[in-house]
Amino acid sequence: MKKLLIALLVFTMGVQVQAQDTAAPEMDEAQMARMMELMAQKIEMDVDTTLFTAVSTNTYVSENPKAVVMAMMVPETFAKAKEKMAADDTAQFKITDRGEKTINGVNVLFMEGTSEAEGSTLDNAVYCMEIDANTCLMFIGMVDQKADAKYTEAMNKAMNSVIKK
């Protein structure tokens, strides 16, 4: 399970730093404090706790099969998030689809693909919606391809509960 969480964190950070300008300045203390404050903010999410266990604020996992749902606020403009999500595959994440669509009346960015963790192939979904001019909400769901359909359904239900006006 620790390896899955580490893979999730690497994936999440990879999405966040992907396509950033390497000459960009380091975050100052105020920016870092804002990022930590946003990422710690509790997000209302409808998670099936018979399938998933809370492991931290806004992060839920299942032991077997492997599945994760996670939401977080990030200090980023929608335009910057769109630029990052348009970047190519990484070694950890092979993209199968991406773009923009409307969910629950909200325009969102999405990216779907596969990754490997602990010998399992995971289907991944990343959604991003604008909260304000400098903040986005990210939802990440990962489900083992061999998992029962109820895990994917629970992930989609959690995503739909997060993405709303």
Side-chain angles (χ1 to χ4, degrees):
M1 182 52 66
K2 285 183 182 181
K3 289 180 184 179
L4 178 61
L5 289 175
I6 291 169
L8 172 66
L9 291 174
V10 168
F11 168 72
T12 303
M13 292 305 130
V15 168
Q16 290 300 309
V17 299
Q18 194 172 2
Q20 284 188 358
D21 182 358
T22 56
E26 300 255 342
M27 274 193 211
D28 64 23
E29 286 184 36
Q31 291 170 317
M32 182 64 80
R34 180 168 185 263
M35 181 179 75
M36 298 305 287
E37 178 184 329
L38 285 173
M39 291 181 78
Q41 185 176 341
K42 177 72 175 153
I43 298 167
E44 290 299 318
M45 184 168 29
D46 186 7
V47 178
D48 185 341
T49 56
T50 64
L51 300 176
F52 295 93
T53 302
V55 293
S56 67
T57 305
N58 308 316
T59 303
Y60 301 84
V61 300
S62 70
E63 189 69 35
N64 191 12
K66 295 172 183 67
V68 177
V69 293
M70 178 174 142
M72 69 182 129
M73 298 286 193
V74 293
E76 188 162 76
T77 66
F78 193 72
K80 188 67 172 175
K82 185 174 184 177
E83 179 182 309
K84 288 179 183 180
M85 289 178 73
D88 293 332
D89 292 351
T90 67
Q92 299 88 9
F93 188 66
K94 302 296 179 204
I95 298 166
T96 57
D97 196 13
R98 71 171 137 219
E100 288 186 57
K101 62 182 167 182
T102 301
I103 298 175
N104 300 330
V106 178
N107 182 49
V108 298
L109 302 172
F110 77 96
M111 184 168 56
E112 297 171 349
T114 60
S115 62
E116 299 287 328
E118 297 181 0
S120 297
T121 302
L122 304 171
D123 287 327
N124 304 275
V126 179
Y127 296 90
C128 176
M129 69 179 259
E130 182 176 47
I131 298 299
D132 62 35
N134 296 307
T135 311
C136 287
L137 182 143
M138 301 287 289
F139 175 88
I140 299 168
M142 305 167 85
V143 178
D144 189 321
Q145 287 183 338
K146 296 176 185 171
D148 188 280
K150 67 184 176 184
Y151 287 89
T152 301
E153 291 167 8
M155 179 191 74
N156 289 332
K157 182 179 178 185
M159 178 270 299
N160 274 300
S161 73
V162 169
I163 298 176
K164 57 190 173 203
K165 290 185 179 187

